[in-house]
């Protein structure tokens, strides 16, 4: 006979994860977005489920399958992602791995914009809500652990420390996405964990391994809290 499986380190917890890019419409047939593949966020959702958590994954458009055993909510825009995140709370842990578009087009055209003698359209942009900062600064119903990501091409640690303070989260997972690092869309990642007590740098490893190590770290932090 097999002994019953030990409960995982995140058993009894609801973990919320955002993943993938967002898409911001220009008109009914065009959008702006970014190169996020969703691989790291989806791997974190899988790892959290394997650690025994109930997991909600809020994802922008990606070409990955929904992870098994994870409640997956599909959204397109940043504002839809924020609404889905708020609807999924409460959670004890929230991990914001999505590459949210910073701006959306101010006046989305109701019909397809046509070429014409007037030349190219002059698009103007407005800033999207910061989902991570909105949730981390909540007075009520804030998850116990709020984790952000920081994709940086330079001054990785300084920028990550500034984001930790500005966004009010507990931990920033900073990765270097400079040209040549192959992190966007690739299968491996070099990350720095930036928290109030300092920085820990992990050797380059697969995004699955980063996800498992991050989930183990969050389990330890929850146990201490
Ligand atoms: N984030 C978010 N909502 C936004 C923008 C970012 O939730 N509108 C989250 C990301 O999911 C990530 C963290 O904030 O966890 C940092 O994202 P990043 O793009 O690195 O930081 P920004 O504050 O947008 O700053 P910038 O792009 O100028 O570096
Ligand atoms: Ca950004």
């Amino acid at each position: 006979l097999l002994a019953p499986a030990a409960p995982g380190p995140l058993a009894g917890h609801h973990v919320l994860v955002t993943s993938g890019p967002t898409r911001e419409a220009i008109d009914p047939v065009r959008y702006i977005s970014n190169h996020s593949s969703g691989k790291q966020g989806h791997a974190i959702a899988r790892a959290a489920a394997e650690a025994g958590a109930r997991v909600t994954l809020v994802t922008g458009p990606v070409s990955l399958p929904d992870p098994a055993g994870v409640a997956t909510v599909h959204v397109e825009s940043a504002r839809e992602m924020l609404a889905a995140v708020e609807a999924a709370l409460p959670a004890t842990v929230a991990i914001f791995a999505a590459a949210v578009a910073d701006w959306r087009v101010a006046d989305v055209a109701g019909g397809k914009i046509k070429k014409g003698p007037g030349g190219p359209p002059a698009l103007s942009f407005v800033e999207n809500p910061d989902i991570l900062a909105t949730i981390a600064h909540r007075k009520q119903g804030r998850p116990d652990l709020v984790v952000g990501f920081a994709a940086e091409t330079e001054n990785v640690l300084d920028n990550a420390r500034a984001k930790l303070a500005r966004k009010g989260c507990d931990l920033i997972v900073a990765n270097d996405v400079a040209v040549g690092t192959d992190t966007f869309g690739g299968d491996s990642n070099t990350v720095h964990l930036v928290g109030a007590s300092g920085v820990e740098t992990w050797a380059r490893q697969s995004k699955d391994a980063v996800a498992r190590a991050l989930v183990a770290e969050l389990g330890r932090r929850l146990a201490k809290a």
Side-chain angles (χ1 to χ4, degrees), residues 11 44 94 96 100 157 200 215 217 222:
I44 291 166
F96 295 92
V100 181
L157 294 182
E200 202 176 297
V215 161
E217 171 66 25
L222 282 175

Side-chain angles (χ1 to χ4, degrees), residues 18 78 96-103 128-133 147-152 163 166-167 172:
T18 70
F96 295 92
V100 181
D102 291 319
W103 309 284
N128 269 325
D130 189 317
I131 302 167
L132 165 61
V147 181
F149 272 69
E152 306 290 351
K163 275 177 193 168
R166 188 169 76 237
K167 290 169 182 274
I172 288 274

Side-chain angles (χ1 to χ4, degrees), residues 62-140:
V62 295
S63 52
L64 301 171
D66 293 353
V70 169
T72 303
V73 181
H74 292 268
V75 298
E76 294 221 336
S77 69
R79 288 185 297 173
E80 287 169 14
M81 184 171 277
L82 175 59
V85 162
E86 287 179 327
L89 291 175
T92 39
V93 181
I95 304 163
F96 295 92
V100 181
D102 291 319
W103 309 284
R104 66 177 182 275
V105 174
D107 298 298
V108 177
K112 182 184 168 191
I113 302 170
K114 301 294 287 178
K115 283 184 295 188
L123 298 177
S124 61
F125 292 90
V126 290
E127 200 162 314
N128 269 325
D130 189 317
I131 302 167
L132 165 61
T134 301
I135 301 307
H137 285 123
R138 270 191 166 203
K139 295 277 179 290
Q140 276 179 345

Side-chain angles (χ1 to χ4, degrees), residues 32-43:
I32 60 162
S33 190
N34 60 65
H35 287 299
S36 171
S37 64
K39 283 179 182 173
Q40 186 63 80
H42 278 56

